[in-house]
């Protein structure tokens, strides 16, 4: 029997969800932030319920980590689904101005209703929600143009909710990452772990690194033209074809890390997360 890839902390999740629901009562617009490497896996199942009738702006962050052709495939796919995705690289401030405009436009109705009732306009209020580590804080910092919200490589850094005023027109709320209380899809759980988008949930590096190697082999076979050529061989000089992920990891450990499998696993995952293996999309639009 294989152990579940990720161990969840339901108490922590329930607390985060409760806090978020309270904050959602205060906002006009929801910025739903997802990871462009895995746009469907980082769709939180409760966001549409939480958003209700509020306006939502869909942000696919980390666009720098996927190839431009794949970004175009997603744009086409989301359009067919009736959605407009905003692609951003919050790290370098790319695409973020369009998000501000979209949030402002989404909030226009609020001030229309206020003025209809003889009330003064107020800034539109928005919240950024999404899985841990997808780049919510980095995005908000970019929208603001300065670093006011803590953003870090470690997942789960954002603990508290804070309002920040972006302009006279818009106020934003940063929020802690939310992960589903249950995740039955094993492949999705593995991709979340590979991308480091699951915050304080825990997993085994070696198991996830081995899965990553096998996922790469699968992606090269099924979507090879969207991937860099042999990313593992290019970086480590070791071919991954016809070996299990576990064997690859053991070989990598022996060749590069004096047999230390844990270090080999961490190097693999870190190299991917830093983009050192090239831009590798872990998910493509269905069909
Ligand atoms: N390459 C890249 N890194 C990003 C991007 N956005 C955020 N990051 C990095 O990812 C890490 C997590 O970002 P953070 O904003 O703290 O995520 P949060 O947990 O959703 O608030 C930080 O090290 C950021 O610098 C992006 O668009 N591209
Ligand atoms: Mg944060």
């Amino acid at each position: 029997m294989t152990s579940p890839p990720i161990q969840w902390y339901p108490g922590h999740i329930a607390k985060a969800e409760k806090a978020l629901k309270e904050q959602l009562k205060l906002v006009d617009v929801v910025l739903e932030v997802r990871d462009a490497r895995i746009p469907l896996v980082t769709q939180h199942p409760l966001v549409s319920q939480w958003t209700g009738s509020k306006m939502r702006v869909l942000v696919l962050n980390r666009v720098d980590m996927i190839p431009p052709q794949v970004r175009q495939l997603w744009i086409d796919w989301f359009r067919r689904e009736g959605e407009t995705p905003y692609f951003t690289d919050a790290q370098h401030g790319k695409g973020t101005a369009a998000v501000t405009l979209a949030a402002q436009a989404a909030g226009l109705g609020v001030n229309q209703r206020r003025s209809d009732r003889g009330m003064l306009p107020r800034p539109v209020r928005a919240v950024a929600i999404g899985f841990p580590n997808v780049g919510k804080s980095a995005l908000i910092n970019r929208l603001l143009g300065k670093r006011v919200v803590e953003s870090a490589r470690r997942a789960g850094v954002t603990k508290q909710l804070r309002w920040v005023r972006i302009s006279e027109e818009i106020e934003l709320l940063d929020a802690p990452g939310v992960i589903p209380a249950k995740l039955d899809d094993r492949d999705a759980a593995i991709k979340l772990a590979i991308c480091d988008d699951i915050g304080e949930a825990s997993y085994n590096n070696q198991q996830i690194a081995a899965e990553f190697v096998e996922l790469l082999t699968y992606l090269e076979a099924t979507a090879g033209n969207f991937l860099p050529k042999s990313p593992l061989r290019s970086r480590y000089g070791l071919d991954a074809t016809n070996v299990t992920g576990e064997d690859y990891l053991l070989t990598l450990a022996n060749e590069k890390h004096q047999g230390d499998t844990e270090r080999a696993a961490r190097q693999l995952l870190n190299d991917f997360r830093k983009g050192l293996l090239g831009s590798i999309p872990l998910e493509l639009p269905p069909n």
Side-chain angles (χ1 to χ4, degrees), residues 137 150 158 174:
S137 299
E150 198 175 5
T158 311
D174 191 25

Side-chain angles (χ1 to χ4, degrees), residues 49-195:
Q49 186 187 314
W50 288 333
T51 306
S53 58
K54 294 182 210 301
M55 300 296 285
R56 184 178 59 104
V57 177
L58 176 60
V59 179
L60 301 196
N61 188 45
R62 296 184 182 278
V63 67
D64 56 305
M65 303 189 87
I66 63 167
Q69 315 96 282
V70 173
R71 164 198 174 137
Q72 191 56 49
L73 289 181
W74 280 115
I75 290 175
D76 298 342
W77 186 84
F78 275 107
R79 289 232 171 99
R80 286 199 296 277
E81 298 286 304
E83 298 232 55
T84 308
Y86 289 84
F87 280 90
T88 57
D89 167 0
Q91 178 105 309
H92 304 99
K94 301 229 169 81
T96 52
V99 174
T100 304
L101 292 178
Q104 279 175 8
L108 280 180
V110 177
N111 280 322
Q112 187 55 55
R113 283 192 295 280
R114 286 177 70 87
S115 88
D116 289 348
R117 284 178 282 160
M119 295 162 81
L120 289 172
R122 63 154 169 77
V124 169
R125 292 176 186 149
V127 65
I129 65 179
F131 278 67
N133 221 34
V134 294
K136 300 177 295 299
S137 299
L139 177 70
I140 288 177
N141 286 327
R142 283 295 171 177
L143 296 177
L144 271 162
K146 37 184 168 91
R147 292 183 61 87
V148 290
V149 184
E150 198 175 5
S151 168
R153 221 180 82 71
R154 282 286 308 119
V157 161
T158 311
K159 297 274 187 247
Q160 285 165 2
L161 302 155
R162 311 193 240 176
W163 287 102
V164 287
R165 180 165 291 201
I166 288 188
S167 69
E168 289 304 305
E169 289 80 39
I170 185 160
E171 268 177 357
L172 255 175
L173 189 59
D174 191 25
V178 278
I179 56 177
K182 222 167 91 184
L183 197 68
D184 295 327
D185 183 341
R186 187 174 185 277
D187 290 344
I190 288 165
K191 288 177 185 175
L192 285 172
I194 293 170
C195 293

Side-chain angles (χ1 to χ4, degrees), residues 2 111 144 155 170 178 182 202 208 213 254 287:
T2 50
N111 280 322
L144 271 162
I170 185 160
V178 278
K182 222 167 91 184
S202 77
I208 297 301
V213 170
N254 285 333
N287 302 317

Side-chain angles (χ1 to χ4, degrees), residues 216 220 223-235 239 277-280:
L216 273 184
E220 283 186 83
N225 34 355
F226 299 118
L227 257 60
K229 190 133 186 57
S230 313
L232 294 179
R233 180 152 42 94
S234 305
R235 182 142 183 93
D239 213 333
L277 298 175
S279 25
I280 299 176

